[in-house]
Amino acid sequence: MTSHRANAVLEIDLAAIVGNWRSVVARLAPATECAAVVKADAYGLGMREVAPVLAAAGCRLFFVAQIDEAIALRGILPNREIAVLDGFVAAQGPEFQEFHLIPVLNDLGQLAAWRQIDAAARPPAMLHLDTGMSRLGLPAAELARLQTAPALLAGVALRAIMSHLACPDDPAHPLNHVQLTAFRAAVVGLPAAPASLSASSGIFLGRDFHFDLARPGAALYGVNPQPATPSPVAQVLCLKGKILQTREIDTDSTVGYGATYRRERPGRIATVAAGYADGLLRSLGNRGSATIAGRKAPIVGRVSMDLLTLDVTDLDPETTHPGNFVELIGPGHDVDALAAEAGTSGYEMLTALGRRYHRVYRDSAS
Ligand SMILES: *Cc1c(COP(=O)(O)O)cnc(C)c1O
């Protein structure tokens, strides 16, 4: 049961997240380790709730983007490895030591700064090589320098050597194999360490891309890692908004700010208690849809901060009473579908989800 105060409810199925992690593990060779990426508050779904269930399922290594996220995660998971994708600056040394955090070193300057820490009290580190993303990681020239001067790594315990794919959601993209080849060549010249190339989508490119360590994020949270084919992962979300009012409107009435929607015959509009402040992007205006008792209703007019409006003219009025809930994300309309209507990705949709939903965590295991 939802609270009488709940105007919009986000149900998060922790058991499904664990199931998705296990299904990724099952895809990997037995010797390949599977981490979990829980940056950005576990893609908006709640790191505090998600990380412990993944740890209980056997995940030993967690990635976050920022050191603040890592420190928060250390309070949740005292005994798991935590890696920080954003890298390292010298001033953060005491915190990396105190909280036993693994930096992902992204250039030779970060590596040199890391080696300033007393080796006896220094956590392991990861090294990130850029093989074609041109975002983070050692550029090719720095990699070449490192290969000719291995002393630059002296004393550094390498937890992994990693790189990141630019186009793994498009299996036919030539850059996938260009990066694979570059990564294979790069690790040959470096000290032995577990190699890691793939996030969610890369894992689904096949065994060649798995190496020793995989780093899935989005697939755990129900985003389809291979959008051109049916999703291999389970949905984990249900997002519902309450109907606050239902009204009849006449021919030529307009709906919402800017009067961007005009009906040509009389109809019915249902106003729902969720808007762009809740992550239902303005781009859903006159494009998105919701589901009411199994029927689709289009979002008409602009999305406002706290509200959106549905055209429910063709729906059974019994299903559109004030107080009823409509489904914005659910079995018939998953996060990728809503994202497509908004002109964005499931990733952005998830991380945009607002802070004021009544959140309900389900864990069939507990
Ligand atoms: C975000 C991120 C991941 C996880 O990516 P998904 O596509 O969500 O699985 C893995 N590695 C790096 C370097 C990342 O930035």
Side-chain angles (χ1 to χ4, degrees):
M1 279 305 290
T2 54
S3 157
H4 63 283
R5 300 212 314 268
N7 278 1
V9 180
L10 183 63
E11 293 173 8
I12 298 164
D13 186 342
L14 295 172
I17 294 173
V18 168
N20 286 339
W21 185 77
R22 291 208 166 107
S23 81
V24 170
V25 169
R27 223 164 251 279
L28 303 171
T32 300
E33 181 179 5
C34 191
V37 181
V38 295
K39 63 192 181 189
D41 200 24
Y43 292 46
L45 303 190
M47 179 173 77
R48 177 163 294 282
E49 289 78 13
V50 167
V53 296
L54 290 172
C59 181
R60 309 196 55 79
L61 170 60
F62 292 79
F63 284 86
V64 292
Q66 303 185 352
I67 181 174
D68 285 337
E69 297 175 324
I71 292 169
L73 183 56
R74 180 53 79 214
I76 300 166
L77 298 179
N79 301 315
R80 294 294 190 276
E81 292 178 291
I82 300 173
V84 181
L85 291 164
D86 277 2
F88 174 73
V89 296
Q92 297 167 346
E95 282 148 325
F96 272 83
Q97 289 180 284
E98 178 183 350
F99 298 103
H100 207 79
L101 307 177
I102 299 170
V104 176
L105 302 173
N106 287 315
D107 64 38
L108 290 181
Q110 293 183 13
L111 172 58
W114 185 246
R115 289 182 67 226
Q116 297 300 308
I117 296 175
D118 174 18
R122 196 165 58 200
M126 296 188 187
L127 194 64
H128 185 183
L129 312 176
D130 179 20
T131 54
M133 182 81 172
S134 307
R135 190 179 67 167
L136 288 178
L138 271 69
E142 289 200 3
L143 171 63
R145 241 187 92 203
L146 190 60
Q147 285 169 327
T148 55
L152 294 175
L153 275 168
V156 175
L158 274 185
R159 177 62 178 84
I161 298 175
M162 58 177 263
S163 190
H164 195 56
L165 297 167
C167 311
D169 55 343
D170 176 4
H173 201 292
L175 192 49
N176 292 325
H177 278 87
V178 170
Q179 289 193 263
L180 178 63
T181 304
F183 187 57
R184 280 185 175 141
V187 294
V188 165
L190 295 175
S196 179
L197 180 61
S198 284
S200 296
S201 298
I203 292 163
F204 291 85
L205 294 178
R207 285 270 167 109
D208 281 354
F209 288 82
H210 292 177
F211 292 89
D212 305 305
L213 169 67
R215 314 183 304 268
L220 310 181
Y221 311 117
V223 173
N224 184 353
Q226 289 299 339
T229 52
S231 183
V233 296
Q235 289 307 302
V236 309
L237 283 189
C238 188
L239 175 58
K240 296 177 189 161
K242 191 197 271 180
I243 298 176
L244 299 178
Q245 280 198 348
T246 306
R247 72 187 56 249
E248 309 288 333
I249 61 166
D250 290 334
T251 303
D252 282 344
S253 291
T254 63
V255 177
Y257 285 124
T260 62
Y261 178 76
R262 181 185 302 275
R263 275 199 63 86
E264 279 153 19
R265 56 188 176 89
R268 265 180 323 119
I269 298 295
T271 302
V272 175
Y276 62 74
D278 305 295
L280 296 163
L281 306 178
R282 272 177 104 250
S283 54
L284 288 166
N286 292 316
R287 286 178 61 186
S289 65
T291 309
I292 307 177
R295 301 276 313 273
K296 280 261 146 69
I299 297 175
V300 294
R302 285 191 188 152
V303 174
S304 28
M305 186 183 294
D306 315 302
L307 302 168
L308 55 80
T309 35
L310 301 173
D311 186 336
V312 296
T313 308
D314 297 332
L315 271 59
D316 177 356
E318 284 305 311
T319 64
T320 59
H321 288 306
N324 285 11
F325 279 84
V326 311
E327 214 173 76
L328 290 149
I329 300 175
H333 192 234
D334 66 20
V335 65
D336 290 310
L338 187 67
E341 290 171 348
T344 184
S345 69
Y347 289 74
E348 190 180 28
M349 205 74 227
L350 285 183
T351 53
L353 289 172
R355 299 284 145 227
R356 63 181 175 177
Y357 292 119
H358 279 237
R359 288 180 175 229
V360 179
Y361 287 92
R362 303 200 183 290
D363 186 354
S364 55
S366 64

